[in-house]
Amino acid sequence: MRLRLVPETTRMNFFRMDRIPLLFSMIAVVASLVLFAIVGLNFGIDFRGGTLIMAETPEEQPVGDFRDVLTELDIGEVAVTRVSDPAGRERHAVLMRIGITDEDPDAQKALVTQVQETLNAAFPGISYLQIDNVGAKVSGELVTAGILAVVSAIAAILFYIWLRFEWQFSVAAVAALVHDVALTIGIFSLLQIEFNLSIIAAILTIVGYSLNDTVIVFDRVRENLRKYKTKDLQDVLNLSINETLARTVMTSGTTLIALLALYFLGGEVIRGFTFAMIWGVVVGTYSSIWIASTILLRLGVKRDWSKPSAGAGNQFANIDA
């Protein structure tokens, strides 16, 4: 007997109150943009520049002691956080972030050496698990490259769907992707989770995952438009979403199981990435079902491909079954 998270055949009406999810999403996107403009993102070392040091001591040391030792060096902004071990092993590790003080790589290397010598003297037996240095110039280039990567991906997707389907499908799919990216930026701004290069990778993955869901639904919509030539577009969309719902829920559910395992057991280094992916899978599935399809319903689509489009392309009447 096969496992089914939803029945094989469903008859849910996803457009009975279609204005509510659309209005909710519009409010959420605006709120995300406002949060980004006012609060901003908690940029990591990748984007701000500086030094990140993860160290472990034989016995637990108060975080305040690390902060006091580093502050006395007068090396700029300092942040120290405890690193927990998701596997439950006893571990005395801390993550130290030191703000950039010099664009010269040699000076930055000397700074790291000075910090290590000071920590070695203050905490005998300390070992270093990770040391990363990013200069101010490099961090600025990474910000530009990250923004360009996301914008380029969305533009390429717009062009691809436009060629494969019709412009209405393209606009609906890209609107859903922009919705997903905006809400991801908003949640990171709200929770002030560190935003680094791995989050850019997560956003690009979210874009691809959400697009995959949307294209599967749109493929079924196009098939059903040709099959049911006189059926109302809303009924065609409902039918198409219901026919792909079992696949969507199973794919999203199994992906979430893997991501939740990574989030709780994968350690501190990838926690931000996995959080972004978990959020993206949930939001991407939601937008594929409600946002993209609702926008497509509003725009309308051409149904008789043997005839030229007549303006809006929403041709329902006078079509033979």
Side-chain angles (χ1 to χ4, degrees):
M1 182 177 179
R2 291 185 298 171
L3 173 65
R4 293 192 181 279
L5 299 181
V6 296
E8 185 174 1
T9 303
T10 59
R11 292 182 174 84
M12 299 174 62
N13 185 358
F14 293 95
F15 300 96
R16 181 167 51 187
M17 295 183 292
D18 59 319
R19 293 184 179 181
I20 294 178
L22 198 58
L23 180 61
F24 169 78
S25 293
M26 290 175 62
I27 294 173
V29 168
V30 172
S32 297
L33 295 177
V34 170
L35 274 171
F36 175 69
I38 296 177
V39 180
L41 294 170
N42 178 22
F43 288 112
I45 295 297
D46 295 336
F47 294 138
R48 287 189 304 171
T51 302
L52 183 147
I53 301 174
M54 185 182 293
E56 186 173 17
T57 54
E59 297 182 358
E60 184 172 354
Q61 302 288 343
V63 171
D65 289 355
F66 286 92
R67 191 176 294 112
D68 292 341
V69 169
L70 295 176
T71 302
E72 290 178 359
L73 292 176
D74 193 22
I75 52 178
E77 180 185 354
V78 172
V80 184
T81 55
R82 178 75 60 192
V83 178
S84 59
D85 190 341
R89 294 185 292 108
E90 187 177 0
R91 187 181 184 187
H92 313 299
V94 293
L95 190 65
M96 295 167 278
R97 296 178 178 86
I98 304 170
I100 191 74
T101 57
D102 201 311
E103 295 186 11
D104 184 1
D106 293 332
Q108 191 72 10
K109 185 177 180 180
L111 169 66
V112 173
T113 302
Q114 180 186 5
V115 169
Q116 287 182 286
E117 290 175 351
T118 304
L119 291 173
N120 290 338
F123 307 102
I126 190 172
S127 58
Y128 301 96
L129 308 177
Q130 177 184 351
I131 299 177
D132 292 328
N133 293 310
V134 178
K137 182 178 180 180
V138 174
S139 65
E141 293 173 352
L142 291 176
V143 171
T144 303
I147 295 173
L148 183 61
V150 175
V151 173
S152 299
I154 294 177
I157 289 166
L158 173 66
F159 183 68
Y160 162 74
I161 299 181
W162 193 350
L163 291 179
R164 178 167 178 177
F165 296 98
E166 201 177 2
W167 70 265
Q168 292 95 333
F169 288 91
S170 181
V171 171
V174 170
L177 294 182
V178 172
H179 164 274
D180 299 344
V181 172
L183 262 59
T184 302
I185 296 295
I187 196 68
F188 270 79
S189 180
L190 176 66
L191 300 180
Q192 286 296 290
I193 301 172
E194 183 177 302
F195 194 91
N196 50 37
L197 277 179
S198 67
I199 308 304
I200 295 293
I203 289 176
L204 292 173
T205 308
I206 290 167
V207 167
Y209 184 93
S210 178
L211 176 67
N212 181 61
D213 262 355
T214 303
V215 166
I216 287 173
V217 174
F218 281 180
D219 260 332
R220 188 58 59 89
V221 170
R222 186 169 59 174
E223 292 173 7
N224 287 332
L225 283 172
R226 293 169 175 171
K227 185 177 181 181
Y228 305 102
K229 294 183 178 180
T230 59
K231 190 184 286 288
D232 187 82
L233 179 58
Q234 178 172 312
D235 294 335
V236 172
L237 288 170
N238 260 323
L239 175 65
S240 303
I241 297 172
N242 277 289
E243 287 178 346
T244 57
L245 186 62
R247 178 263 172 207
T248 298
V249 173
M250 182 63 73
T251 302
S252 299
T254 52
T255 304
L256 282 175
I257 291 173
L259 289 172
L260 287 170
L262 283 174
Y263 181 80
F264 290 109
L265 303 176
E268 194 74 24
V269 175
I270 63 170
R271 187 155 294 168
F273 173 83
T274 51
F275 174 82
M277 286 298 301
I278 291 169
W279 173 262
V281 168
V282 174
V283 172
T285 303
Y286 159 78
S287 68
S288 297
I289 294 175
W290 276 283
I291 304 305
S293 300
T294 301
I295 293 175
L296 185 61
L297 178 62
R298 294 287 191 272
L299 294 175
V301 292
K302 183 171 71 174
R303 306 190 60 158
D304 190 349
W305 293 84
S306 64
K307 299 178 182 179
S309 177
N314 194 357
Q315 313 301 322
F316 293 101
N318 302 321
I319 297 178
D320 295 333

